[in-house]
Amino acid sequence: IERIPKEYIRPEEERPSIGDIFAEEKMGGGPQVPTVDLKGINSEDLEVREKCREELRKAAVDWGVMHLVNHGIPEELTGRVKAAGEGFFGQPIEEKEKYANDQAAGNVQGYGSKLANNASGQLEWEDYFFHCVFPEDKTDLSIWPKTPSDYIDATREYAKQVRALTTTVLAVLSLGLGLEEGRLEKEVGGMEELLLQMKINYYPKCPQPELALGVEAHTDVSALTFILHNMVPGLQLLYEGKWVTAKCVPNSIIMHVGDTVEILSNGKYKSILHRGVVNREKVRVSWAVFCEPPKEKIILQPLPETVSEADPPRFPPRTFAQHIKHKLFRLTDQEGADTPKPDE
């Protein structure tokens, strides 16, 4: 097609901020998403360990998003995960449709081509596959792709490794708030209850990329989000009032601090507004793993240690399910995704 259907065209006031993603990724100067090298995160050398942990903490405070390198997940495994996901999306549409989800019936797991409840009523230029990948007793392998044959093994192993990385990062963020190491992990549900949900985003080439978005501006509701991608740029972050394009850093995993950790830290760690931009030359694929607390079992609110007379609680107590509903409702009231409320 040469023109995109009108349902995908963004509101006029949003369009001037959508540029050529390849040109923007090459641009030097200006603020850049920080890269944090995790090689020394558990080093025996106290100085090395503290320096690494401070870099992670600082990136979570200043940006709430970072490229993680030397994260400990083997390149061979991330390569298998990418090959499996790309293999699934490379199949004919009738094969993918066998895994179609049913949003209307409340069944969000599986293959789909637009997100329910998106804020503006416009469609997003993407297909996706969404499913729970950890803990194993909460996964439903019957809806996981059977083709490619390595999909299940690669994805399960990757989910275990991301779960271990989650523990490491939450421990550092806990210590950064002056809490004991395991506190944030406990507050988001621990090994039993913290859910890892994977969403593979497939952004086809777009004939009019200046008019569309792959994913509109949002913050993640998760505790943390970990993202792999196929080295095609597309992620943009709203930093100090301007859209900043994330560079493609080889063998990195992008990590976002989500709303859940922002709330628990009383805003000390940031959940940054971000979006996905598309292009006319290359297909972009990303693998996002959202680490989510249980929907009803935990009340999310600033931890008492993060609150003081000078810094009262910035967020009211809500369950995770209530937080999601509140966000969807607030977002539909927004005048456009480029004008976030201060606490979004």
Side-chain angles (χ1 to χ4, degrees):
I1 61 168
E2 288 174 20
R3 292 184 175 282
I4 65 174
K6 64 177 189 318
E7 297 86 348
Y8 290 92
I9 295 176
R10 304 305 303 175
E12 211 162 313
E13 64 277 7
E14 204 177 346
R15 283 182 243 154
S17 73
I18 304 173
D20 175 343
I21 195 68
F22 295 112
E24 292 185 10
E25 199 239 353
K26 287 187 181 75
M27 271 163 53
Q32 302 291 336
V33 175
T35 296
V36 176
D37 186 340
L38 295 187
K39 196 173 178 184
I41 197 104
N42 292 314
S43 170
E44 307 265 304
D45 182 325
L46 178 69
E47 203 174 315
V48 170
R49 188 170 74 233
E50 285 312 312
K51 182 173 182 286
C52 177
R53 293 179 174 191
E54 175 55 25
E55 278 177 20
L56 174 59
R57 191 197 67 81
K58 186 175 186 311
V61 168
D62 294 349
W63 279 82
V65 65
M66 61 204 78
H67 302 283
L68 300 179
V69 295
N70 291 316
H71 41 70
I73 300 179
E75 198 181 334
E76 180 266 337
L77 177 59
T78 58
R80 283 171 59 204
V81 169
K82 290 178 185 182
E86 287 174 342
F88 171 78
F89 280 101
Q91 297 179 103
I93 187 78
E94 52 274 13
E95 287 301 309
K96 293 182 283 194
E97 286 288 355
K98 289 176 184 172
Y99 297 93
N101 59 18
D102 185 352
Q103 297 265 5
N107 175 20
V108 295
Q109 295 204 69
Y111 171 71
S113 62
K114 78 178 179 72
L115 279 175
N117 300 317
N118 84 333
S120 58
Q122 265 94 18
L123 298 185
E124 296 167 314
W125 195 263
E126 69 154 351
D127 285 358
Y128 65 90
F129 195 95
F130 181 79
H131 58 128
C132 177
V133 292
F134 195 91
E136 286 190 357
D137 63 353
K138 292 188 168 72
T139 60
D140 177 3
L141 289 183
S142 73
I143 63 149
W144 290 35
K146 308 292 178 286
T147 307
S149 57
D150 192 35
Y151 185 96
I152 290 176
D153 287 348
T155 304
R156 281 178 103 162
E157 180 54 34
Y158 179 65
K160 278 186 209 154
Q161 302 235 7
V162 170
R163 186 62 188 83
L165 181 57
T166 303
T167 295
T168 301
V169 170
L170 288 174
V172 173
L173 295 179
S174 282
L175 293 168
L177 293 170
L179 307 168
E180 61 277 15
E181 212 169 321
R183 180 67 178 282
L184 280 178
E185 168 122 8
K186 178 172 155 279
E187 296 288 348
V188 297
M191 202 51 89
E192 306 294 311
E193 297 285 352
L194 186 71
L195 281 186
L196 269 56
Q197 314 258 26
M198 181 185 270
K199 181 169 170 255
I200 309 176
N201 301 293
Y202 180 89
Y203 305 104
K205 295 175 194 175
C206 178
Q208 295 177 294
E210 68 286 353
L211 298 181
L213 285 176
V215 172
E216 65 185 20
H218 66 286
T219 60
D220 289 353
V221 293
S222 58
L224 300 172
T225 304
F226 295 92
I227 301 171
L228 279 178
H229 59 80
N230 66 337
M231 293 296 286
V232 175
L235 174 65
Q236 293 188 323
L237 303 305
L238 191 70
Y239 184 75
E240 295 182 344
K242 290 195 175 67
W243 286 109
V244 173
T245 300
K247 305 274 187 205
C248 290
V249 176
N251 303 326
S252 69
I253 292 178
I254 294 168
M255 188 191 83
H256 286 270
V257 170
D259 297 351
T260 296
V261 162
E262 181 178 63
I263 290 165
L264 293 169
S265 71
N266 200 27
K268 291 171 178 62
Y269 297 132
K270 303 282 182 297
S271 179
I272 194 169
L273 199 75
H274 57 283
R275 67 184 187 184
V277 179
V278 291
N279 74 82
R280 56 168 59 84
E281 292 158 53
K282 291 182 180 175
V283 170
R284 180 168 183 261
V285 190
S286 69
W287 290 256
V289 175
F290 303 99
C291 307
E292 299 186 346
K295 283 203 156 56
E296 305 289 355
K297 286 188 181 176
I298 291 170
I299 300 293
L300 289 181
Q301 58 189 330
L303 298 174
E305 297 90 336
T306 66
V307 172
S308 64
E309 210 169 307
D311 193 6
R314 300 181 194 186
F315 307 93
R318 290 191 179 102
T319 63
F320 185 60
Q322 286 169 334
H323 173 68
I324 293 171
K325 277 195 187 125
H326 160 79
K327 261 191 95 153
L328 291 172
F329 177 69
R330 285 281 295 279
L331 281 170
T332 40
D333 286 350
Q334 231 169 269
E335 304 78 36
D338 278 2
T339 52
K341 305 285 191 294
D343 63 342
E344 289 286 85

